[in-house]
Amino acid sequence: MRRPLTVLCSLTLALAAAAAPAQPPRPGAPEPAADAGRFAVGEYVGPATCATANCHGRGDAGEETDVLQNEYTTWVERDPHFRAHEVLFDERARIIARNLGTATPPTEDVHCLSCHALPVPRRLAGGRMTIEDGVSCEACHGPAGGWVDQHAQLEWSYADSVAAGMIDLRNPATRARVCHECHLGAADRQVGHELIAAGHPQLVFELDNYAEAMPSHWLSFVERAEYEPPPASPAAAWAVGQVAGFRDYLDHLAGRTAAGGWPEFAELSCDDCHHSLAEERWRRPRPAGARLGMPRWSPARWAVLRLAVEQRAPTRLPELAAGVDRLAVVVGDVRASPAAVAAAADALARQLDSVLPALRGGWSASALRSLMRSIAADRGYLETADRESAEQAALAIQSLYSSLVAVAPSQARGPVSVTIDELFDALQDRYAYRPESFVEILARLEDQLR
């Protein structure tokens, strides 16, 4: 039986608070609450504050409390977010800077640091904050000044921490938004065509798969059954992540037009321009309505979501599909005004909220299998879409299959998992991707799911 970490952590924090010298308020710092302890609401305390063995710095996972207590150690030793700043010293980063013609080293460039570190304004740095920490705890969990001391108190609840500045990562939509700010982009954090041309990798992200790939520094929701209200199921979290990903993308797209520099070729299907002439790939079929000689808008964020909407909220699909068609037309027309692109993106983003209740609902084994079959049968669409859409289809199938096995272990079938691996093998080399090979694998998968 796990017991609250507060039993061990209260003494540690009390001693630290007693030992900490009184600090005068910094100009511009938030006003502290009456019981704020060492830090003020909105201040960042730094990862070292959480690193004691009695709190989150154990060498191995504990079994006594309601948290693992080795969260800090897992982050330092195995989490790629800790090494996010280190990659700015790599040769690739230097080549990107050289290609961009910037004299500022990547390790000092504010555009790089906005995602590869946690650059905190001096007035909000209540604890020891260093750029070298990379993407540290508070990048995801929010500034801890308002709750780091109090969250060890027995009477302090999770809701109290959220009210004091903790980001509610139990909410899948919120969790997606936090991840998307770097892994998809935001108004001040963009990986555009120029940066990709300089050598930066394209941003590919899907909430459920990427979270599962991280070294876990948290207990599963099954192990934390005391949570109220109960969290969304893995499949529901996946579905909400699909909506959140598309909505955040649309907000990002509208923001790009406002910032100038439109058209932005990173919004279009790469293969329409970067295809192999030797293979005569121009002969491949194109979607109905696509304009010859013009690159198309990439439908990657919609490719799988439309099938989930068709299954769970079919009455909402026609309106959403019409909105997507309008967006594809204006984004794919380099002569379209930035205002027209922003209007189409904003209108579609507002429509997306209507499907969330249906997607959050219970996902039975039959519903999961049905959606997997729909994706596998969607070969006509995926053959004429782009590689990025196929990648999202493979990621969705992987997530849905994992959820299926979790709710109905008896339905785990060896050939299915092997075939899913083949889908990812077909996507491995983006320069050698062949849609006809990808859809052949999908056909076999559909047969295996019958």
Side-chain angles (χ1 to χ4, degrees):
M1 177 71 179
R2 291 181 177 271
R3 51 197 173 87
L5 179 60
T6 52
V7 175
L8 293 175
C9 203
S10 294
L11 178 59
T12 300
L13 291 173
L15 291 174
Q23 298 289 334
R26 285 170 293 283
E31 288 296 324
D35 60 346
R38 295 171 289 167
F39 306 105
V41 175
E43 282 189 328
Y44 290 79
V45 306
T49 306
C50 310
T52 63
N54 276 351
C55 292
H56 301 290
R58 283 181 54 149
D60 55 358
E63 298 181 356
E64 303 85 10
T65 71
D66 57 354
V67 299
L68 294 172
Q69 290 188 259
N70 69 338
E71 294 82 4
Y72 174 87
T73 307
T74 299
W75 169 70
V76 167
E77 294 181 351
R78 296 194 289 130
D79 196 314
H81 291 94
F82 176 71
R83 295 184 291 276
H85 183 262
E86 289 182 16
V87 303
L88 299 181
F89 290 92
D90 292 351
E91 178 65 16
R92 182 171 192 167
R94 289 193 291 270
I95 292 174
I96 293 172
R98 183 194 67 200
N99 289 342
L100 291 172
T102 177
T104 306
T107 52
E108 300 174 17
D109 191 297
V110 294
H111 297 96
C112 302
L113 295 177
S114 65
C115 278
H116 285 267
L118 181 57
V120 172
R122 186 180 298 274
R123 64 185 178 84
L124 295 180
R128 188 180 69 83
M129 301 290 299
T130 67
I131 289 295
E132 290 75 17
D133 284 331
V135 179
S136 55
C137 315
E138 291 165 291
C140 298
H141 293 282
W147 49 268
V148 67
D149 291 335
Q150 297 88 332
H151 83 301
Q153 299 169 5
L154 288 173
E155 66 275 11
W156 189 266
S157 69
Y158 178 76
D160 292 330
S161 291
V162 172
M166 178 185 279
I167 296 175
D168 183 14
L169 296 179
R170 296 181 190 176
N171 182 325
T174 302
R175 191 161 69 246
R177 176 183 56 78
V178 171
C179 298
H180 289 156
E181 286 180 353
C182 281
H183 291 280
L184 179 63
D188 61 338
R189 311 176 190 189
Q190 299 186 9
V191 175
H193 190 255
E194 183 181 20
L195 191 53
I196 294 170
H200 193 287
Q202 282 185 278
L203 297 182
V204 177
F205 185 77
E206 190 276 304
L207 178 65
D208 188 63
N209 272 278
Y210 279 69
E212 284 297 314
M214 287 294 98
S216 174
H217 63 264
W218 56 86
L219 288 166
S220 71
F221 286 125
V222 173
E223 296 171 287
R224 298 288 298 271
E226 78 279 5
Y227 281 161
E228 283 294 336
S233 69
W238 168 83
V240 171
Q242 290 289 302
V243 176
F246 196 19
R247 167 122 198 193
D248 289 346
Y249 161 78
L250 292 169
D251 289 342
H252 181 211
L253 173 58
R256 269 185 162 165
T257 64
W262 189 260
E264 170 52 65
F265 291 109
E267 304 294 350
L268 305 173
S269 289
C270 304
D271 194 59
D272 280 6
C273 295
H274 296 281
H275 60 259
S276 169
L277 294 176
E279 295 179 9
E280 295 190 332
R281 288 166 68 177
W282 53 269
R283 293 182 181 274
R284 289 177 178 165
R286 293 172 64 86
R291 295 180 59 191
L292 290 175
M294 296 291 287
R296 300 164 295 161
W297 170 72
S298 175
R301 294 287 162 189
W302 173 242
V304 174
L305 176 59
R306 70 187 226 288
L307 299 177
V309 172
E310 183 178 40
Q311 177 173 315
R312 308 286 293 193
T315 61
R316 306 301 307 163
L317 183 60
E319 182 183 14
L320 284 173
V324 169
D325 289 343
R326 286 191 295 270
L327 181 74
V329 168
V330 294
V331 175
D333 184 355
V334 295
R335 300 165 298 179
S337 69
V341 175
D346 287 338
L348 184 55
R350 289 193 297 271
Q351 295 172 10
L352 280 172
D353 290 338
S354 64
V355 303
L356 274 174
L359 293 177
R360 281 197 185 105
W363 284 79
S364 64
S366 61
L368 291 167
R369 289 183 67 86
S370 175
L371 184 52
M372 288 178 67
R373 284 196 300 270
S374 294
I375 298 171
D378 198 31
R379 295 185 289 279
Y381 183 93
L382 291 172
E383 189 170 15
T384 59
D386 54 8
R387 178 191 172 280
E388 288 69 32
S389 298
E391 189 168 31
Q392 290 298 317
L395 289 168
I397 289 171
Q398 173 65 47
S399 286
L400 294 168
Y401 185 64
S402 295
S403 295
L404 176 64
V405 172
V407 300
S410 62
Q411 299 204 31
R413 298 177 182 176
V416 172
S417 61
V418 172
T419 307
I420 292 173
D421 288 340
E422 290 181 29
L423 290 175
F424 286 99
D425 290 340
L427 294 163
Q428 192 68 32
D429 185 348
R430 67 173 54 253
Y431 303 108
Y433 169 68
R434 301 182 63 83
E436 56 269 27
S437 299
F438 187 81
V439 299
E440 285 176 5
I441 301 170
L442 284 177
R444 283 193 281 113
L445 180 64
E446 185 185 12
D447 288 341
Q448 293 166 1
L449 290 170
R450 294 187 189 281

